[in-house]
């Protein structure tokens, strides 16, 4: 499959005229990637440094073959697809790198090139990319925004794209936090914060501490892993941070963050009071937007004061003071997110088969997707599903856990 019979998309760029290459590492196109990234309003998840960290730490332990696709029109780089090939049973599946830890997954597209693609030409492009990769049965391109920074995502219009299981909520920020607070039930939030501050006053109040060194960040990160592992066990959920290479990936982000080159890769905020860390937020910032990677709250008696909500209040105020324009907390519909995030960014999942085996698998994946969306869309069913998950998690605890 060489793409020689591909149709020309609107705008006069023929897919057959594109130069498509496959690279084993982002470092093979470092300079061009960075130049394209700096010319676009990309999220932190599409930055060269984020993808390079993931490639260096997580792909080998997870058995993923990095497959970085560069697309050029003439000598100019017009798109990058940061993919990886995973074995799923007998199938070879191409997915965006980062897995569930990349809340926003998409390629980097030059806006002029992106505007030249429609549903038909996007299909032609993916078929050509499959031919260059060789040995791929299926594209599973999940968690793609329909648009990013008001620029349409061309792969989101593929004929096989359907609504993703979860969207991402975000909020717009202003330099005046009071205005932002007012737009988000500010009186109620301010009243609760006063109650929290008064409640914590007898133990010395609270402090929001942002890690200021590599050592401090790594210590906060280790506390996060411990807090989140306990929460996952209590909910009967597999610990995604215990998967091979994931903890090493976040530690690598920390080390690169304090190398002096990429200060926005990861920030660790910790809310402290009564001698301990009670809540943690890990995030990255790119293009004026803070994206939350993860959040945890200590499982102790202090949960009654909602330390996670208090931390978010302080982080959002600090983000306004920093001049950031937007903030998101990743995928999911948790209550603490809904109280702040008032802009829904719809996402899609494009399950695109390449081979006959891929077509059979795609039908099963789409059925599972529809089922999960139906459960999530029904409050009673979703509540029941989460209750069953917690029961199962308790039943699977070891005797030591039960003690």
């Amino acid at each position: 499959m060489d793409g020689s019979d591909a149709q020309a998309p609107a705008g006069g760029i023929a897919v057959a005229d594109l130069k498509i290459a496959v690279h084993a590492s982002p470092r093979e196109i470092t300079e061009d990637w960075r130049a394209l990234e700096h010319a676009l309003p990309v999220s932190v998840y599409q930055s060269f440094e984020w993808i390079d960290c993931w490639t260096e730490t997580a792909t080998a332990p997870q058995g993923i073959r990095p497959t970085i696709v560069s697309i050029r029109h003439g000598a100019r780089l017009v798109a990058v697809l940061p993919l990886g090939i995973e074995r799923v049973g007998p199938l070879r599946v191409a997915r965006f790198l980062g897995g569930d830890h990349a809340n926003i997954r998409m390629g980097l597209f030059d806006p002029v090139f992106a505007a030249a693609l429609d549903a038909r030409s996007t299909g032609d492009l993916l078929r050509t990319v499959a031919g260059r990769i060789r040995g791929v049965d299926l594209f599973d391109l999940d968690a793609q925004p329909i648009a990013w920074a008001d620029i349409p995502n061309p792969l989101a219009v593929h004929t096989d794209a359907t609504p993703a299981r979860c969207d991402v909520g975000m909020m717009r920020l202003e330099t005046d936090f009071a205005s932002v607070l007012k737009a988000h039930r500010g009186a109620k939030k301010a009243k609760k914060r006063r109650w929290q501050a008064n409640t914590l006053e007898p133990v010395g109040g609270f402090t929001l501490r942002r890690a200021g060194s590599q050592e401090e960040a790594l210590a906060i990160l280790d506390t996060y892993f411990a807090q989140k592992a306990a929460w996952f066990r209590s909910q009967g959920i597999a610990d995604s941070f215990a998967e091979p290479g994931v903890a090493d990936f976040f530690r690598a982000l920390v080390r690169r963050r304090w190398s002096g080159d990429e200060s926005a890769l990861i920030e660790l905020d910790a809310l402290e009071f009564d001698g301990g860390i009670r809540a943690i937020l890990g995030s990255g910032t790119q293009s004026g937007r803070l994206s939350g990677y993860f959040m945890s709250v200590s499982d102790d008696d202090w949960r009654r004061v909602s330390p996670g909500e208090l931390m978010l209040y302080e982080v959002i105020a600090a983000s306004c003071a920093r001049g950031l324009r937007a903030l998101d907390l990743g995928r999911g519909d948790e209550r603490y997110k809904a109280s702040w995030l008032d802009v829904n960014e719809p996402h899609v999942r494009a399950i695109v088969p390449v081979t006959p085996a891929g077509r059979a698998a795609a039908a099963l994946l789409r059925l599972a997707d529809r089922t999960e969306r139906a459960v999530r869309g029904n409050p009673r069913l979703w509540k029941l599903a989460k209750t069953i998950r917690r029961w199962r998690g308790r039943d699977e605890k070891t005797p030591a856990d039960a003690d």
Side-chain angles (χ1 to χ4, degrees):
M1 187 187 308
D2 61 8
S4 59
D5 59 347
Q7 300 296 312
I13 301 176
V15 173
D17 292 338
L18 299 173
K19 181 180 179 182
I20 299 175
V22 178
H23 311 276
S25 168
R27 298 183 184 184
E28 295 181 19
I29 55 170
T30 301
E31 291 185 9
D32 286 345
W33 186 321
R34 283 179 168 157
L36 181 59
E37 171 188 333
H38 292 154
L40 302 174
V42 302
S43 85
V44 69
Y45 301 105
Q46 284 76 52
S47 68
F48 171 85
E49 298 292 343
W50 202 96
I51 295 294
D52 189 50
C53 269
W54 182 266
T55 302
E56 289 295 300
T57 56
T59 53
Q62 294 188 14
I64 297 171
R65 173 164 59 93
T67 308
I68 309 299
V69 178
S70 65
I71 301 172
R72 298 177 186 273
H73 185 232
R76 185 166 60 95
L77 183 69
V78 294
V80 176
L81 303 181
L83 302 175
I85 307 299
E86 305 177 34
R87 278 278 185 180
V88 182
L91 298 175
R92 292 152 297 187
V93 180
R95 293 180 169 132
F96 285 118
L97 293 171
D100 289 340
H101 298 282
N103 291 302
I104 297 165
R105 303 171 213 164
M106 60 186 296
L108 292 82
F109 291 91
D110 174 271
V112 174
F113 176 66
L117 296 175
D118 57 16
R120 181 178 179 181
S121 56
T122 298
D124 294 334
L125 180 62
L126 279 185
R127 282 191 291 273
T128 305
V129 167
R132 296 291 187 271
I133 293 174
R134 299 185 184 280
V136 61
D137 295 297
L138 179 76
F139 289 98
D140 184 5
L141 307 179
D142 198 4
Q144 294 190 82
I146 291 176
W148 175 257
D150 298 324
I151 300 174
N153 171 18
L155 291 187
V157 302
H158 192 282
T159 54
D160 287 327
T162 58
R165 291 160 291 179
C166 293
D167 294 331
V168 167
M170 60 86 75
M171 62 183 297
R172 295 186 176 90
L173 303 178
E174 303 175 29
T175 54
D176 179 19
F177 174 61
S179 298
V180 173
L181 186 61
K182 184 178 180 180
H184 294 82
R185 302 182 70 185
K188 183 177 180 179
K189 285 183 167 64
K191 180 180 179 180
K192 183 167 186 177
R193 185 186 178 282
R194 286 193 298 272
W195 172 81
Q196 291 167 319
N198 292 336
T199 302
L200 296 175
E201 187 174 353
V203 295
F206 67 89
T207 301
L208 180 69
R209 174 166 60 96
R210 170 160 288 187
S213 69
Q214 177 175 306
E215 293 72 21
E216 188 178 13
L218 290 173
I220 294 174
L221 189 60
D222 284 341
T223 301
Y224 167 78
F225 290 145
Q227 288 181 352
K228 203 63 176 181
W231 183 84
F232 280 132
R233 285 195 299 272
S234 73
Q235 300 297 307
I237 305 173
D239 186 351
S240 60
F241 292 89
E243 294 174 355
V246 172
D248 289 338
F249 163 69
F250 284 106
R251 292 188 181 104
L253 282 184
V254 167
R255 288 191 291 270
R256 204 171 289 203
R257 154 71 175 85
W258 269 276
S259 69
D261 296 330
E262 297 293 332
S263 62
L265 270 181
I266 187 169
E267 301 285 0
L268 279 300
D269 289 295
L271 186 79
E272 296 178 309
F273 55 83
D274 195 25
I277 295 177
R278 307 300 170 183
I280 295 170
L281 176 69
S283 63
T285 303
Q286 187 93 354
S287 305
R289 173 162 165 167
L290 182 148
S291 291
Y293 297 153
F294 51 72
M295 180 174 166
S296 68
V297 176
S298 61
D299 188 13
D300 53 39
D301 291 342
W302 283 115
R303 289 181 75 97
R304 63 188 173 85
V305 302
S306 302
E309 291 183 21
L310 178 57
M311 178 180 64
L312 283 180
Y313 186 105
E314 299 298 313
V315 167
I316 291 168
S319 298
C320 289
R322 291 168 60 192
L324 299 183
R325 298 187 297 274
L327 178 147
D328 74 73
L329 297 172
R331 305 173 81 197
D333 55 1
E334 294 85 352
R335 182 179 60 82
Y336 74 88
K337 295 180 181 179
S339 72
W340 284 104
L341 309 180
D342 55 351
V343 179
N344 185 62
E345 291 185 334
H347 282 213
V348 299
R349 183 181 188 183
I351 302 172
V352 184
V354 177
T355 65
R359 283 192 285 276
L364 294 175
L365 286 173
R366 290 169 185 150
L367 176 61
D369 241 14
R370 288 195 296 271
T371 302
E372 182 172 342
R373 286 201 305 273
V375 171
R376 284 180 177 271
N378 185 312
R380 290 185 178 181
L381 285 177
W382 185 229
K383 182 179 180 180
L384 176 62
K386 290 191 287 187
T387 300
I388 292 171
R389 186 175 63 190
R390 285 194 296 271
W391 287 344
R392 187 173 60 187
R394 283 196 290 268
D395 290 343
E396 291 175 354
K397 285 182 179 179
T398 63
D401 289 332
D403 290 342

